[in-house]
Amino acid sequence: MKNRAIVWFRRDLRLADNPALRAAVDGDYDGIVPVFIHAPEELGHWAEGGAQRVWLHDSLTALDNDLNALGSRLVVRRGPSLEALQVLIEESGATAVFWNRLYDPLIVERDKQIKQTLNKRDDLHVESFQAHLLFEPWQISTQQGAPYKVFTPFWKRIKQEPRRAPLPRPAELPPVWSRIGTVDIAELDLLPRIRWDKGIRQRWEPGESGAQRRLEAFLDEPAEQYDEGRDRPAVPGTSYLSPHLHFGEISPHQVMHRSEEWLDEHAKPAPREHIESFQSEIGWREFAHHVLFHFPATPEEPLDQRFKDFPWVQDDEALAAWRDGQTGIPMVDAGMRELWATGYMHNRLRMTVASFLTKNLRIAWQHGERWFWDTLVDADLANNTLGWQWAAGCGADAAPFFRIFNPARQGQRFDAKGAYVRRWVPEIAELPDKHIHEPWAAPKRVLEEAGITLGETYPRPIVDLKVSRREALDAFEQIKNT
């Protein structure tokens, strides 16, 4: 009897360090069918946003090319996932189905039902694997057996745990039989019909090879100044690995292992400090998934229940100005325009624009969460939820509510020469450094010389930063002791 395995690819679009694929390769299987099932309806309103769909299209294309190079191909099917798997099992005569686990609440429930249904078959071996994180969310707990809500002790605990080494990439794969049909990736309609995605396609290289090149480019230079460079949006000081990690084109095990190898190759004290800071960002990703797994309502509801009664403001006009990068606050506008043009926003700006929305405008964090979900190529339910609740002061290890980022001060500190703002807000580019982050405070003569008429060529601020800060603190007082 033939033994054949289905490998269900999800957000693990890579061949190296893929435990599900490795189980099929190492097993005594005559054939392996790699499949991706497109089933956005199973994710509700947390299905991939517009920017993610662009990335997914290119990443699936890259995976198919990589599989072809090894003698195989990617089979693409439409959902529902269970029905698609059952049909493929019958078509292929598969005796095993393998996949790697994910931890978004709806996916956990779906996968549980799929596994229970498939396990009822005596002729089928069904197994899932840990690949998306360093450790399972349920493996790490406090001494009291509770989930962590604070990052520092969580990461300290993680670092004490032994990690496995990355798994090798297969040298070759058996061909997929011609009778196994596939949907063309283009038929999934992942790309926009009005092609607004040019900036995304120009900036990024989705796929496993692109992820590896991105990591090596980071280690070649930015890694040695990471602690300083990561806060300066005008310089390439970060790894830009987040979308590759989200789609599983590279694994956290690979990132940790390669960065430690790099440290051994560069045995100097300074790089070690920077690499450890970089690795802690992998820790934050772990922490985000840990919190989401244990508190699955947090994409919709604040972890700190007091914030259910927070007096949020409904202001559609201000929300639109924020989305469009037309708030009259240069650092905020620059971040929002970078997001729209490239599908990405520097982390310093993510904190800045989130603080501005939730505290200066007092618009509920869920509005920002949803906009990021649709516009970020690295939109990840766990990271997005943790980040927005952190900024709003209502989540795990959140910034205290009274920590309100002043976007002008953020610009003066981290974009002192205005290079970032001048790139994304060109209408004020002629302002001198002294006024680039506060054009409303510039003398009339300076504005005229720079060709700026506030309210016409560039908006006046839609909110007074000092007044709105005070109003936000007064609003917090209303719920602080509830």
Side-chain angles (χ1 to χ4, degrees), residues 3 28 48 108 114 120 136 169 187 214 229 232 276 284 324 327 350 365 374 436 449 479:
N3 287 323
D28 188 21
E48 294 91 355
V108 169
I114 289 175
K120 292 177 182 177
E136 303 285 19
R169 177 189 180 99
E187 294 178 42
R214 182 70 72 174
R232 305 195 179 280
E276 288 177 353
W284 273 101
D324 294 342
T327 67
R350 297 190 197 201
W365 58 272
D374 197 46
I436 191 70
E449 290 175 355
I479 67 161

mmCIF file of all heavy atoms in Angstrom, residues 3 28 48 108 114 120 136 169 187 214 229 232 276 284 324 327 350 365 374 436 449 479:
data_model
loop_
_atom_site.group_PDB
_atom_site.id
_atom_site.type_symbol
_atom_site.label_atom_id
_atom_site.label_comp_id
_atom_site.label_asym_id
_atom_site.label_seq_id
_atom_site.Cartn_x
_atom_site.Cartn_y
_atom_site.Cartn_z
ATOM 1 N N ASN A 3 2.083 4.942 0.865
ATOM 2 C CA ASN A 3 1.980 5.900 1.958
ATOM 3 C C ASN A 3 2.212 7.292 1.397
ATOM 4 O O ASN A 3 3.287 7.557 0.843
ATOM 5 C CB ASN A 3 3.014 5.601 3.044
ATOM 6 C CG ASN A 3 2.642 4.364 3.837
ATOM 7 O OD1 ASN A 3 1.467 4.127 4.101
ATOM 8 N ND2 ASN A 3 3.625 3.578 4.222
ATOM 9 N N ASP A 28 8.362 7.524 5.845
ATOM 10 C CA ASP A 28 8.489 6.618 4.699
ATOM 11 C C ASP A 28 7.297 6.819 3.761
ATOM 12 O O ASP A 28 6.439 5.952 3.617
ATOM 13 C CB ASP A 28 8.560 5.174 5.194
ATOM 14 C CG ASP A 28 8.886 4.193 4.074
ATOM 15 O OD1 ASP A 28 9.430 4.647 3.040
ATOM 16 O OD2 ASP A 28 8.579 3.009 4.233
ATOM 17 N N GLU A 48 -7.012 38.353 6.172
ATOM 18 C CA GLU A 48 -5.923 39.219 5.755
ATOM 19 C C GLU A 48 -6.448 40.552 5.223
ATOM 20 O O GLU A 48 -7.393 40.601 4.448
ATOM 21 C CB GLU A 48 -5.079 38.559 4.654
ATOM 22 C CG GLU A 48 -4.318 37.334 5.083
ATOM 23 C CD GLU A 48 -5.100 36.049 4.873
ATOM 24 O OE1 GLU A 48 -6.294 36.124 4.481
ATOM 25 O OE2 GLU A 48 -4.540 34.966 5.109
ATOM 26 N N VAL A 108 -7.289 28.488 16.288
ATOM 27 C CA VAL A 108 -7.185 27.421 17.292
ATOM 28 C C VAL A 108 -8.449 26.581 17.292
ATOM 29 O O VAL A 108 -8.395 25.337 17.277
ATOM 30 C CB VAL A 108 -6.920 28.022 18.690
ATOM 31 C CG1 VAL A 108 -7.086 26.965 19.770
ATOM 32 C CG2 VAL A 108 -5.526 28.628 18.765
ATOM 33 N N ILE A 114 -10.914 20.437 13.030
ATOM 34 C CA ILE A 114 -10.378 19.681 11.896
ATOM 35 C C ILE A 114 -9.641 18.445 12.382
ATOM 36 O O ILE A 114 -9.824 17.335 11.853
ATOM 37 C CB ILE A 114 -9.461 20.576 11.041
ATOM 38 C CG1 ILE A 114 -10.302 21.620 10.284
ATOM 39 C CG2 ILE A 114 -8.639 19.740 10.058
ATOM 40 C CD1 ILE A 114 -9.479 22.625 9.507
ATOM 41 N N LYS A 120 -10.902 10.720 13.378
ATOM 42 C CA LYS A 120 -11.900 9.652 13.432
ATOM 43 C C LYS A 120 -11.623 8.579 12.375
ATOM 44 O O LYS A 120 -12.174 7.486 12.454
ATOM 45 C CB LYS A 120 -13.295 10.241 13.228
ATOM 46 C CG LYS A 120 -13.756 11.127 14.385
ATOM 47 C CD LYS A 120 -15.115 11.744 14.098
ATOM 48 C CE LYS A 120 -15.541 12.666 15.242
ATOM 49 N NZ LYS A 120 -16.844 13.338 14.945
ATOM 50 N N GLU A 136 5.551 26.923 22.894
ATOM 51 C CA GLU A 136 4.101 26.981 22.904
ATOM 52 C C GLU A 136 3.624 27.958 23.978
ATOM 53 O O GLU A 136 4.237 28.047 25.050
ATOM 54 C CB GLU A 136 3.512 25.591 23.200
ATOM 55 C CG GLU A 136 3.952 24.509 22.245
ATOM 56 C CD GLU A 136 3.268 24.598 20.894
ATOM 57 O OE1 GLU A 136 2.728 25.677 20.555
ATOM 58 O OE2 GLU A 136 3.274 23.595 20.168
ATOM 59 N N ARG A 169 16.654 22.277 5.343
ATOM 60 C CA ARG A 169 15.798 22.358 4.162
ATOM 61 C C ARG A 169 15.912 21.038 3.392
ATOM 62 O O ARG A 169 17.009 20.465 3.270
ATOM 63 C CB ARG A 169 16.295 23.511 3.295
ATOM 64 C CG ARG A 169 15.582 23.732 1.969
ATOM 65 C CD ARG A 169 16.370 24.761 1.166
ATOM 66 N NE ARG A 169 15.772 25.040 -0.119
ATOM 67 C CZ ARG A 169 15.002 26.091 -0.385
ATOM 68 N NH1 ARG A 169 14.766 26.966 0.564
ATOM 69 N NH2 ARG A 169 14.497 26.285 -1.593
ATOM 70 N N GLU A 187 -5.947 33.489 -9.325
ATOM 71 C CA GLU A 187 -7.396 33.337 -9.197
ATOM 72 C C GLU A 187 -7.893 33.601 -7.780
ATOM 73 O O GLU A 187 -9.106 33.703 -7.557
ATOM 74 C CB GLU A 187 -7.809 31.932 -9.633
ATOM 75 C CG GLU A 187 -7.576 31.643 -11.110
ATOM 76 C CD GLU A 187 -7.960 30.215 -11.459
ATOM 77 O OE1 GLU A 187 -9.011 29.742 -10.978
ATOM 78 O OE2 GLU A 187 -7.204 29.564 -12.202
ATOM 79 N N ARG A 214 17.176 39.512 3.968
ATOM 80 C CA ARG A 214 16.876 40.605 4.891
ATOM 81 C C ARG A 214 17.621 40.420 6.212
ATOM 82 O O ARG A 214 18.184 41.370 6.765
ATOM 83 C CB ARG A 214 15.364 40.668 5.119
ATOM 84 C CG ARG A 214 14.903 41.789 6.020
ATOM 85 C CD ARG A 214 15.042 43.148 5.378
ATOM 86 N NE ARG A 214 14.080 43.379 4.332
ATOM 87 C CZ ARG A 214 13.941 44.530 3.701
ATOM 88 N NH1 ARG A 214 14.692 45.566 4.025
ATOM 89 N NH2 ARG A 214 13.057 44.675 2.722
ATOM 90 N N GLY A 229 20.220 52.835 16.418
ATOM 91 C CA GLY A 229 19.579 52.971 15.115
ATOM 92 C C GLY A 229 18.111 52.622 15.091
ATOM 93 O O GLY A 229 17.355 53.166 14.285
ATOM 94 N N ARG A 232 15.543 55.547 15.173
ATOM 95 C CA ARG A 232 15.682 56.668 14.234
ATOM 96 C C ARG A 232 15.073 56.272 12.884
ATOM 97 O O ARG A 232 15.672 55.535 12.104
ATOM 98 C CB ARG A 232 17.148 57.068 14.096
ATOM 99 C CG ARG A 232 17.757 57.375 15.468
ATOM 100 C CD ARG A 232 19.049 58.110 15.437
ATOM 101 N NE ARG A 232 19.500 58.367 16.807
ATOM 102 C CZ ARG A 232 19.065 59.341 17.601
ATOM 103 N NH1 ARG A 232 18.161 60.185 17.139
ATOM 104 N NH2 ARG A 232 19.513 59.488 18.831
ATOM 105 N N GLU A 276 21.455 41.220 21.701
ATOM 106 C CA GLU A 276 20.526 40.838 22.762
ATOM 107 C C GLU A 276 19.288 41.731 22.761
ATOM 108 O O GLU A 276 18.171 41.267 23.017
ATOM 109 C CB GLU A 276 21.233 40.867 24.116
ATOM 110 C CG GLU A 276 22.225 39.718 24.290
ATOM 111 C CD GLU A 276 22.994 39.777 25.604
ATOM 112 O OE1 GLU A 276 22.853 40.797 26.317
ATOM 113 O OE2 GLU A 276 23.722 38.816 25.905
ATOM 114 N N TRP A 284 9.312 39.890 22.424
ATOM 115 C CA TRP A 284 8.033 40.603 22.437
ATOM 116 C C TRP A 284 7.016 39.900 21.543
ATOM 117 O O TRP A 284 5.819 39.852 21.857
ATOM 118 C CB TRP A 284 8.214 42.051 21.987
ATOM 119 C CG TRP A 284 8.570 42.972 23.113
ATOM 120 C CD1 TRP A 284 9.795 43.454 23.425
ATOM 121 C CD2 TRP A 284 7.669 43.514 24.094
ATOM 122 N NE1 TRP A 284 9.727 44.267 24.538
ATOM 123 C CE2 TRP A 284 8.438 44.330 24.966
ATOM 124 C CE3 TRP A 284 6.289 43.398 24.322
ATOM 125 C CZ2 TRP A 284 7.867 45.013 26.042
ATOM 126 C CZ3 TRP A 284 5.725 44.081 25.380
ATOM 127 C CH2 TRP A 284 6.498 44.873 26.234
ATOM 128 N N ASP A 324 -5.282 59.713 6.926
ATOM 129 C CA ASP A 324 -4.747 60.293 5.690
ATOM 130 C C ASP A 324 -3.420 61.016 5.884
ATOM 131 O O ASP A 324 -2.837 61.493 4.905
ATOM 132 C CB ASP A 324 -5.762 61.276 5.094
ATOM 133 C CG ASP A 324 -7.036 60.588 4.633
ATOM 134 O OD1 ASP A 324 -7.005 59.358 4.450
ATOM 135 O OD2 ASP A 324 -8.055 61.278 4.478
ATOM 136 N N THR A 327 -3.035 65.585 9.829
ATOM 137 C CA THR A 327 -3.373 66.092 11.166
ATOM 138 C C THR A 327 -2.736 67.434 11.460
ATOM 139 O O THR A 327 -3.096 68.088 12.443
ATOM 140 C CB THR A 327 -2.910 65.107 12.257
ATOM 141 O OG1 THR A 327 -1.471 65.063 12.282
ATOM 142 C CG2 THR A 327 -3.470 63.710 12.023
ATOM 143 N N ARG A 350 4.956 53.954 15.154
ATOM 144 C CA ARG A 350 3.746 53.229 15.570
ATOM 145 C C ARG A 350 3.329 53.662 16.975
ATOM 146 O O ARG A 350 2.138 53.878 17.245
ATOM 147 C CB ARG A 350 3.987 51.714 15.527
ATOM 148 C CG ARG A 350 4.278 51.194 14.134
ATOM 149 C CD ARG A 350 4.275 49.676 14.067
ATOM 150 N NE ARG A 350 4.932 49.216 12.841
ATOM 151 C CZ ARG A 350 4.770 48.034 12.286
ATOM 152 N NH1 ARG A 350 3.954 47.157 12.847
ATOM 153 N NH2 ARG A 350 5.417 47.705 11.178
ATOM 154 N N TRP A 365 -8.927 52.772 20.712
ATOM 155 C CA TRP A 365 -7.789 52.072 20.111
ATOM 156 C C TRP A 365 -8.211 51.076 19.044
ATOM 157 O O TRP A 365 -7.445 50.795 18.111
ATOM 158 C CB TRP A 365 -6.971 51.361 21.186
ATOM 159 C CG TRP A 365 -7.759 50.365 22.008
ATOM 160 C CD1 TRP A 365 -8.469 50.622 23.139
ATOM 161 C CD2 TRP A 365 -7.907 48.964 21.755
ATOM 162 N NE1 TRP A 365 -9.068 49.467 23.611
ATOM 163 C CE2 TRP A 365 -8.728 48.437 22.784
ATOM 164 C CE3 TRP A 365 -7.428 48.104 20.773
ATOM 165 C CZ2 TRP A 365 -9.084 47.091 22.855
ATOM 166 C CZ3 TRP A 365 -7.778 46.754 20.843
ATOM 167 C CH2 TRP A 365 -8.586 46.258 21.866
ATOM 168 N N ASP A 374 -5.483 46.571 8.107
ATOM 169 C CA ASP A 374 -5.714 46.601 6.675
ATOM 170 C C ASP A 374 -4.532 47.148 5.894
ATOM 171 O O ASP A 374 -4.401 46.881 4.694
ATOM 172 C CB ASP A 374 -6.964 47.433 6.349
ATOM 173 C CG ASP A 374 -7.478 47.172 4.940
ATOM 174 O OD1 ASP A 374 -7.571 45.995 4.549
ATOM 175 O OD2 ASP A 374 -7.765 48.144 4.225
ATOM 176 N N ILE A 436 10.785 72.287 11.835
ATOM 177 C CA ILE A 436 10.228 71.231 10.989
ATOM 178 C C ILE A 436 9.185 70.394 11.724
ATOM 179 O O ILE A 436 8.232 69.884 11.122
ATOM 180 C CB ILE A 436 11.359 70.330 10.414
ATOM 181 C CG1 ILE A 436 10.821 69.397 9.330
ATOM 182 C CG2 ILE A 436 12.044 69.533 11.511
ATOM 183 C CD1 ILE A 436 10.440 70.084 8.065
ATOM 184 N N GLU A 449 8.915 82.076 3.690
ATOM 185 C CA GLU A 449 10.148 81.711 2.979
ATOM 186 C C GLU A 449 10.154 80.229 2.587
ATOM 187 O O GLU A 449 10.775 79.842 1.584
ATOM 188 C CB GLU A 449 11.360 82.023 3.855
ATOM 189 C CG GLU A 449 11.623 83.522 4.026
ATOM 190 C CD GLU A 449 12.762 83.804 4.990
ATOM 191 O OE1 GLU A 449 13.279 82.832 5.590
ATOM 192 O OE2 GLU A 449 13.130 84.996 5.150
ATOM 193 N N ILE A 479 -12.034 56.865 35.359
ATOM 194 C CA ILE A 479 -12.106 55.385 35.417
ATOM 195 C C ILE A 479 -11.023 54.792 36.309
ATOM 196 O O ILE A 479 -11.039 53.596 36.574
ATOM 197 C CB ILE A 479 -12.001 54.759 34.018
ATOM 198 C CG1 ILE A 479 -10.583 54.993 33.435
ATOM 199 C CG2 ILE A 479 -13.060 55.295 33.083
ATOM 200 C CD1 ILE A 479 -10.223 54.079 32.306
#
